[in-house]
Amino acid sequence: MNLALQLKRAIEAAVLLVHPDWAKSGMVGEEVQAFSDFLVYALDSDSVLGHWAIAVFDEASGFVDVYRGRHYGKVYPPKKVKNRKRSVSRSRGGRKGNDSESARVKWKYKDCDEATKRANTLTLRYLPGHYQPLLPELTKNAEERRYGRGGELSQRVALEEILSTLEKWNVLHVVTDGRA
């Protein structure tokens, strides 16, 4: 199974957790085209997809949809932290029992570095009926392709760079932020 199909299925699984009836109504499934609007369900999760940001450049309209995951900019996986809290337990008769320690699991998210932000930012080009990945430009020269024009390694762009460029050139865009 190719990566695109795996991603489609992971996103649809997140959609079906919220809207299980959509499978019967035919809104999601093998024969149904993927919709970028479904990204909000996956990017709002605690899975690795929740650490991504995705910019979809619509070739037909010139519009850009930007989806920022709930944990974009944070390291995956998060670290488990036990929160110990003393509580007084009661028996069935309403009498106080012994103090007990109950453990609640919490997650601690650390900020990630710029290289991770770049790796977690996906750019897609939407043509009617089809999504294509947008990758750093391939130049004619193999040396430039490997190291870029300035001699440094060619890199993907981070979400912050995309947003500042869209603002600079007044490109119509909307950001759906899973952190809000």
Side-chain angles (χ1 to χ4, degrees):
M1 178 178 359
N2 68 28
L3 182 59
L5 185 55
Q6 288 176 343
L7 286 173
K8 179 180 186 277
R9 288 183 177 161
I11 293 165
E12 286 177 345
V15 170
L16 291 173
L17 284 173
V18 178
H19 299 287
D21 54 311
W22 286 9
K24 289 180 185 175
S25 68
M27 291 189 67
V28 294
E30 292 299 317
E31 301 302 317
V32 180
Q33 178 188 342
F35 292 101
S36 59
D37 294 346
F38 288 173
L39 289 171
V40 295
Y41 297 100
L43 296 176
D44 192 34
S45 72
D46 289 323
S47 73
V48 70
L49 297 177
H51 292 258
W52 289 3
I54 301 172
V56 180
F57 295 81
D58 186 331
E59 187 174 277
S61 70
F63 193 78
V64 181
D65 285 308
V66 178
Y67 300 90
R68 183 180 1 224
R70 181 192 321 180
H71 302 296
Y72 174 76
K74 304 294 181 186
V75 173
Y76 182 85
K79 183 179 177 185
K80 257 188 195 180
V81 179
K82 283 194 176 181
N83 181 22
R84 295 210 174 261
K85 182 178 168 185
R86 294 188 69 82
S87 64
V88 177
S89 61
R90 295 187 176 265
S91 64
R92 282 188 172 179
R95 293 184 288 170
K96 288 185 181 180
N98 295 333
D99 283 357
S100 67
E101 290 203 18
S102 63
R104 263 182 86 171
V105 176
K106 285 190 169 187
W107 299 99
K108 182 176 182 179
Y109 291 90
K110 282 179 40 182
D111 290 340
C112 66
D113 59 14
E114 285 302 310
T116 304
K117 283 184 181 181
R118 291 175 188 283
N120 290 347
T121 301
L122 287 97
T123 50
L124 300 174
R125 173 183 175 201
Y126 176 72
L127 301 163
H130 187 64
Y131 292 91
Q132 296 176 328
L134 284 174
L135 302 171
E137 180 183 352
L138 295 178
T139 63
K140 294 177 185 173
N141 182 324
E143 192 69 17
E144 285 182 1
R145 192 166 48 243
R146 180 154 186 226
Y147 292 105
R149 287 186 179 89
E152 68 278 351
L153 191 61
S154 223
Q155 299 181 37
R156 290 167 48 177
V157 293
L159 177 63
E160 296 76 13
E161 294 167 299
I162 293 170
L163 292 175
S164 67
T165 301
L166 294 173
E167 290 290 330
K168 177 181 176 181
W169 296 102
N170 295 316
V171 176
L172 291 175
H173 65 281
V174 65
V175 178
T176 303
D177 196 341
R179 299 180 300 182

